[in-house]
Amino acid sequence: MWGGRFSAKPAELMQAINVSIGFDRRLAAQDLAGSRAHAAMLLKAGVISSDDEAAIQRGLIAIDAEIAAGTFPFRDEFEDIHMNVEARLRELIGPAAGRLHTARSRNDQVALDFRLWVRDACDRTGAQIQALQRALVAKAEPHADAVMPGFTHLQPAQPVTFGHHLMAYVEMFGRDAGRFADARTRMNESPLGAAALAGSPFPIDRDHTAKALGFDRPTGNSLDSVADRDFALEALAAATICAVHLSRLAEEIVIWVTPQFGFIRLSDAFTTGSSIMPQKKNPDAAELVRAKVGRLLGSFTQLTVVMKGLPLTYSKDMQEDKVPTFEAFDALELSLAAMAGMVADMQPIVENMAKAAGAGYSTATDLADWLVRELGLAFRDAHHITGAAVKRAEQLGCDLPALPLSELRALEPNITEGIYKVLTPEASVASRMSYGGTAPAQVRAQIKRWKDILA
């Protein structure tokens, strides 16, 4: 393609390091879409004839069919998806193919293709996140009042409900969906027409191609158009945060399914066995989702390092932007699908959760709150009395609801039998009626809100 300047072919090693068709063939659909829009615009601008434009469009449709059928001849000698398409177009329609590249460069072409691919990936991921949210809401709804321990430092803290716990992840994934939507809005500008870096002397209509490709507008600076990979970095950052949330939920599934916790069961569909221990049923799907955050964070870091020292505008370094992005979204999409499947599959063991909800003096805060509310004590005084009550219960080997009234009155003489009404896990969760709290009525209100959002 640059034979006019060069008289010899590149060395085999140069070809090996330079060729990208092995991975950027994934941009074929986006490359064809961009070429169709560009050809139509060149005709509208009077840059190419109607006969040439018609031939180009026919050829691009034929190439699309070949790619779909798996018969397209991808060739390393043409380096990348752009030149593979152009070379095949010339074979199909002859010299008219050479007019397609008028007023564009591979620099703005790849910036367009990659931006379109990332935009599509954001759309797919957003839809998958919503599918996972729906699975969580569906599992939370029948368990809005199923008590379980709430933890801080992985120690029993206060009782919550299983539905409330799952809805926390609905909120997290809602923010993830918002990040992808925000990133999509920012990236929805077309770089096509920036050409190599300085724009084009031809009377092109960048608004026309932007509209044809579903963009809000063309990019405003030709240098930035070809140099920018912020859209990929932002999408990878959103993907990494989403993977962190998936990993946290996966970790909880791993913990909950252990015999020591016994909070949930997973079926054979999302577990594996052991080659030596016949009794084992391992939550490998959750463990693998938990590990994927390393791959996504690595991809984000890799692209950040590639971009960090590049002067304007395009450098060949930027060829290394695609593999980490492709790999990251492949891992994220698989993880989202696996997590949605596990959430739908898991069965809560509510009796085990309820038993654990009252362990570890989890209603101690309710005792302190009662002292403040009923006796008018300052919270710090109530906190001290409650700590002493917990210490006495430990000495007697019982939990707070079983601590005799005489022992409580030894700590605070005005305590009445009414204290026992707040010391059960069920009473504790029912009392948390503040907006967003764990009271079943509040949980159901949040479930309804999210069902409306996700409808």
Side-chain angles (χ1 to χ4, degrees):
M1 79 187 97
W2 42 65
R5 173 66 177 87
F6 287 72
S7 57
K9 291 183 177 181
E12 288 186 12
L13 279 176
M14 178 61 196
Q15 182 74 355
I17 197 172
N18 193 47
V19 69
S20 62
I21 189 60
F23 54 82
D24 69 17
R25 66 174 61 189
R26 290 183 65 165
L27 299 176
Q30 291 77 20
D31 196 73
L32 291 170
S35 291
R36 286 193 293 268
H38 186 65
M41 182 275 296
L42 291 177
L43 173 63
K44 177 178 178 290
V47 177
I48 63 174
S49 70
S50 59
D51 288 345
D52 284 344
E53 195 267 347
I56 289 169
Q57 296 291 2
R58 286 196 304 272
L60 292 173
I61 290 171
I63 290 171
D64 195 10
E66 288 181 346
I67 291 172
T71 60
F72 182 84
F74 291 106
R75 288 171 282 190
D76 285 355
E77 64 188 284
F78 296 122
E79 291 188 13
D80 56 34
I81 186 60
H82 323 298
M83 297 313 301
N84 266 266
V85 168
E86 184 173 325
R88 181 59 177 155
L89 187 63
R90 180 175 288 271
E91 291 172 353
L92 292 174
I93 69 170
R99 301 191 184 281
L100 175 59
H101 209 56
T102 307
R104 80 175 178 184
S105 161
R106 284 194 300 173
N107 291 358
D108 64 336
Q109 192 176 359
V110 71
L112 170 71
D113 293 359
F114 193 32
R115 192 176 290 240
L116 286 170
W117 191 95
V118 175
R119 190 180 72 178
D120 291 344
C122 287
D123 290 342
R124 291 194 306 271
T125 301
Q128 281 195 290
I129 290 172
Q130 289 190 338
L132 173 55
Q133 288 179 291
R134 290 188 190 98
L136 287 162
V137 170
K139 190 66 65 173
E141 189 167 21
H143 299 100
D145 56 359
V147 294
M148 67 173 289
F151 297 93
T152 63
H153 310 277
L154 204 55
Q155 300 294 316
Q158 293 177 286
V160 297
T161 73
F162 187 60
H164 190 54
H165 196 112
L166 294 182
M167 291 304 294
Y169 285 100
V170 175
E171 296 285 341
M172 291 186 206
F173 291 122
R175 293 192 295 274
D176 291 326
R179 273 183 279 270
F180 282 111
D182 290 345
R184 191 197 193 283
T185 298
R186 264 183 294 281
M187 74 178 66
N188 207 36
E189 298 181 344
S190 172
L192 188 59
L197 75 162
S200 173
F202 292 93
I204 61 173
D205 184 346
R206 294 190 64 207
D207 288 293
H208 182 275
T209 50
K211 182 178 179 181
L213 294 165
F215 290 105
D216 296 328
R217 64 191 68 85
T219 50
N221 182 283
S222 61
L223 298 172
D224 180 55
S225 300
V226 300
D228 170 46
R229 292 298 182 269
D230 288 1
F231 61 91
L233 285 167
E234 187 172 7
L236 287 175
T240 301
I241 297 171
C242 184
V244 169
H245 293 153
L246 286 167
S247 182
R248 295 182 73 176
L249 179 53
E251 169 71 3
E252 299 214 270
I253 290 172
V254 170
I255 292 171
W256 290 345
V257 82
T258 61
Q260 290 79 6
F261 272 72
F263 285 1
I264 63 169
R265 293 187 186 93
L266 287 175
S267 76
D268 294 353
F270 289 93
T271 54
T272 64
S274 165
S275 64
I276 188 173
M277 295 170 284
Q279 83 282 8
K280 292 297 294 297
K281 195 172 186 180
N282 301 319
D284 281 7
E287 292 171 13
L288 289 166
V289 168
R290 183 177 60 186
K292 294 296 184 187
V293 67
R295 185 184 294 266
L296 276 98
L297 178 58
S299 294
F300 174 69
T301 303
Q302 182 178 344
L303 183 53
T304 302
V305 172
V306 167
M307 298 302 299
K308 72 172 182 63
L310 297 185
L312 297 180
T313 55
Y314 182 84
S315 296
K316 197 69 171 182
D317 311 50
M318 292 163 71
Q319 184 168 289
E320 294 297 315
D321 56 2
K322 296 166 200 67
V323 170
T325 306
F326 293 160
E327 289 182 345
F329 275 97
D330 287 347
L332 181 60
E333 290 175 28
L334 179 60
S335 297
L336 284 165
M339 184 57 74
M342 276 187 287
V343 168
D345 180 76
M346 68 183 181
Q347 294 302 315
I349 307 173
V350 293
E351 59 272 21
N352 289 355
M353 290 193 214
K355 183 178 179 180
Y361 311 103
S362 65
T363 58
T365 305
D366 297 277
L367 193 159
D369 288 342
W370 186 91
L371 293 173
V372 172
R373 187 172 59 251
E374 299 297 327
L375 302 186
L377 272 63
F379 182 79
R380 282 298 161 210
D381 294 334
H383 186 284
H384 180 80
I385 292 167
T386 301
V390 169
K391 182 177 181 179
R392 184 58 179 153
E394 280 185 324
Q395 292 170 345
L396 296 176
C398 66
D399 212 335
L400 284 176
L403 192 63
L405 183 60
S406 59
E407 295 288 346
L408 289 168
R409 282 177 169 167
L411 300 171
E412 168 50 60
N414 293 318
I415 292 177
T416 69
E417 288 187 0
I419 190 68
Y420 294 105
K421 293 180 180 179
V422 303
L423 294 183
T424 66
E426 292 76 12
S428 178
V429 298
S431 71
R432 308 291 166 177
M433 280 294 295
S434 57
Y435 181 82
T438 194
Q442 284 294 320
V443 176
R444 291 189 179 97
Q446 294 301 322
I447 288 171
K448 182 182 183 304
R449 179 174 74 90
W450 274 106
K451 286 175 75 172
D452 291 341
I453 292 171
L454 295 169

